[in-house]
Amino acid sequence: MMETPYYLIDRSKLAANMAKMDYLREASGAKCLLALKCFATWPVFDTMRDHMDGTTSSSLYELKLGHEKFGKETHAYSVAWADHEIDEAVSYADKIIFNSASQLERFDNKTANIKRGLRLNPGFSTSGFDLADPSRKFSRLGEWDVEKLHLYADRISGVMIHYNCENDDFDKFSTQLERIEDEFGSFLQKLEWVSLGGGIHFTGENYPLDKLAARLKAFAEKFGVQVYLEPGEAAITGTASLEVTVLDLLENEKKLAIVDSSVEAHMLDLLIYRESARMESEGEHAYMICGKSCLAGDVFGERSFKEPLKIGDRLSIGDAAGYTLVKKNWFNGVKMPSIVIKELDGSLTLCREFGYDEFESSHG
Ligand SMILES: Cc1ncc(COP(=O)(O)O)c(C=O)c1O
Ligand SMILES: NCCCCNCC[C@H](N)C(=O)O
């Protein structure tokens, strides 16, 4: 048996998402770029490469990883490029997208030979979290003044508009796209491509893919642009779990199970967004599943079982792909979960283990 903790990525589930990706690309004409900020576990890129058009990035290192490990079309975006990064960024990128007009001005000469874009902030979003709302008050993410954008139309060929967040509501998507058409249409008409960013949960169950495809196609035709999407979550949703083992059982009004992992270190987004881990629950034996770091609130969530838990029992915590592996860290020196792939034939491949050497080298 594979030693826990480990992230388990299931290729057949990934392939099912990729089938939806293919359907959308084919029916809409839109290109889909994997957003590496969400998921960058390159050993499974071979299951994704034929079904996506490339990658998009938020830093020089993600850009390089996308270029080297995924290939195909590589978009380079960063909230701010440093002077010493720009030449290298250009060497990997097919398109570079500036967050601001001032960055475009600053690197005008150095980027004159590749396609360029600007981030457009439409002033609204679907995010329910202030932390993740690109249109929050005082937002630094993108240019919003359409008159200003017109001034740069001859220096760029497209825009990136990321304004959706976990949006599984097609009607909401369509209504907001209409607002973009109304408010920015005169500018979009001057462009060759428009990226609508990520955050559309089109691989979810019962999502009306046909409607989305038709809407994207109509948008592309109306403005004469190539549409791009930048799915992170939609590409990998439901494809990974965090496998852990019960190390101790305590009781303090509730039954507590301590596992060989940590929310803070291995599923950080749960703490950031104050959510509970996704765990199937059935039976009458309820436990609070807790991490082994010394953080008092290191709690995955509550779950019920048919039988009482025993030390050594294995548990599987769902939804471990997006914004999870990319955020794992060495807090408390808790052993970092290995990365294991469940192959199409059901066999398990251990593709990465992290030990004391990595812990030591990350500290000096
Ligand atoms: C510019 C951009 N594109 C794409 C994404 C991916 O979004 P999601 O993982 O929600 O699809 C993000 C998320 O932060 C983003 O900021
Ligand atoms: N499940 C809690 C909310 C997660 C929000 N994810 C934010 C990432 C996203 N791509 C964004 O910042 O737009």
Side-chain angles (χ1 to χ4, degrees):
M1 263 230 282
M2 207 70 82
E3 190 176 289
T4 61
Y6 60 90
Y7 295 106
L8 180 63
I9 306 172
D10 189 325
R11 272 197 208 273
S12 62
K13 291 182 177 160
L14 202 49
N17 285 353
M18 292 301 114
K20 292 187 181 176
M21 194 74 68
D22 271 342
Y23 183 85
L24 182 68
R25 291 160 73 224
E26 176 65 31
S28 67
K31 293 188 177 180
C32 291
L33 307 175
L34 175 65
L36 294 172
K37 73 194 74 189
C38 172
F39 183 80
T41 310
W42 52 265
V44 294
F45 283 178
D46 53 346
T47 302
M48 311 175 88
R49 191 176 292 107
D50 291 342
H51 313 283
M52 299 191 76
D53 298 281
T55 56
T56 188
S57 50
S58 21
S59 64
L60 182 62
Y61 290 170
E62 279 189 0
L63 169 63
K64 183 172 181 180
L65 189 89
H67 174 73
E68 291 187 348
K69 299 290 191 189
F70 200 105
K72 302 182 83 174
E73 191 167 340
T74 309
H75 283 203
Y77 167 73
S78 169
V79 168
W81 297 103
D83 289 2
H84 62 84
E85 292 178 322
I86 202 73
D87 290 337
E88 194 180 345
V90 168
S91 78
Y92 305 134
D94 293 294
K95 291 190 178 72
I96 188 157
I97 298 155
F98 292 107
N99 184 62
S100 66
S102 63
Q103 282 250 308
L104 172 58
E105 298 270 14
R106 181 171 187 81
F107 299 117
D108 195 9
N109 291 337
K110 286 187 175 273
T111 57
N113 293 326
I114 61 166
K115 294 206 178 222
R116 299 183 292 198
L118 269 172
R119 179 167 185 166
L120 189 167
N121 185 333
F124 51 85
S125 81
T126 66
S127 180
F129 300 94
D130 184 51
L131 180 66
D133 180 0
S135 298
R136 78 212 291 261
K137 204 164 164 51
F138 312 121
S139 176
R140 70 199 186 294
L141 302 175
E143 297 287 351
W144 63 90
D145 178 349
V146 72
E147 298 308 323
K148 184 174 178 190
L149 283 163
H150 274 291
L151 300 178
Y152 291 92
D154 58 343
R155 284 199 245 175
I156 62 172
S157 55
V159 285
M160 183 271 279
I161 320 172
H162 172 69
Y163 63 108
N164 285 283
C165 182
E166 299 190 334
N167 184 4
D168 58 4
D169 179 343
F170 169 74
D171 291 331
K172 196 177 193 179
F173 169 75
S174 184
T175 309
Q176 289 202 333
L177 190 57
E178 213 173 296
R179 248 182 103 178
I180 289 176
E181 291 173 327
D182 290 346
E183 294 173 26
F184 298 95
S186 63
F187 173 63
L188 301 185
Q189 245 146 16
K190 297 179 176 173
L191 304 174
E192 287 169 21
W193 55 273
V194 173
S195 169
L196 296 172
I200 311 168
H201 275 209
F202 60 84
T203 52
E205 246 173 78
N206 303 322
Y207 191 92
L209 265 185
D210 285 322
K211 283 188 180 175
L212 177 64
R215 186 69 180 90
L216 295 176
K217 197 166 181 212
F219 177 86
E221 283 166 3
K222 183 169 177 182
F223 296 102
V225 292
Q226 170 65 53
V227 169
Y228 287 86
L229 298 180
E230 302 178 359
E233 273 290 353
I236 48 70
T237 191
T239 63
S241 58
L242 174 61
E243 302 294 314
V244 300
T245 298
V246 176
L247 298 180
D248 198 8
L249 294 162
L250 311 173
E251 200 156 337
N252 183 359
E253 294 185 50
K254 289 187 176 187
K255 288 186 169 144
L256 312 173
I258 299 176
V259 299
D260 57 354
S261 176
S262 155
V263 183
E264 171 102 31
H266 308 152
M267 277 202 159
L268 185 58
D269 252 20
L270 294 179
L271 288 185
I272 295 178
Y273 293 100
R274 297 184 175 274
E275 292 181 343
S276 285
R278 209 165 290 174
M279 296 180 281
E280 278 173 28
S281 202
E282 54 171 346
E284 72 257 32
H285 301 279
Y287 290 82
M288 190 178 261
I289 311 299
C290 310
K292 66 174 278 178
S293 84
C294 63
L295 181 73
D298 193 347
V299 174
F300 285 93
E302 297 197 26
R303 179 176 166 186
S304 295
F305 301 85
K306 285 186 186 153
E307 303 292 332
L309 281 181
K310 302 180 302 301
I311 289 170
D313 280 351
R314 297 244 175 162
L315 306 180
S316 183
I317 301 171
D319 206 19
Y323 301 100
T324 306
L325 281 115
V326 291
K327 294 193 180 187
K328 63 190 180 313
N329 62 69
W330 281 110
F331 178 61
N332 261 221
V334 181
K335 183 174 166 26
M336 193 170 271
S338 308
I339 299 173
V340 177
I341 298 176
K342 186 171 183 188
E343 305 291 353
L344 295 176
D345 64 4
S347 62
L348 300 186
T349 305
L350 173 63
C351 68
R352 184 76 157 92
E353 219 179 344
F354 303 92
Y356 177 75
D357 289 350
E358 283 83 9
F359 173 65
E360 185 195 352
S361 65
S362 75
H363 284 83

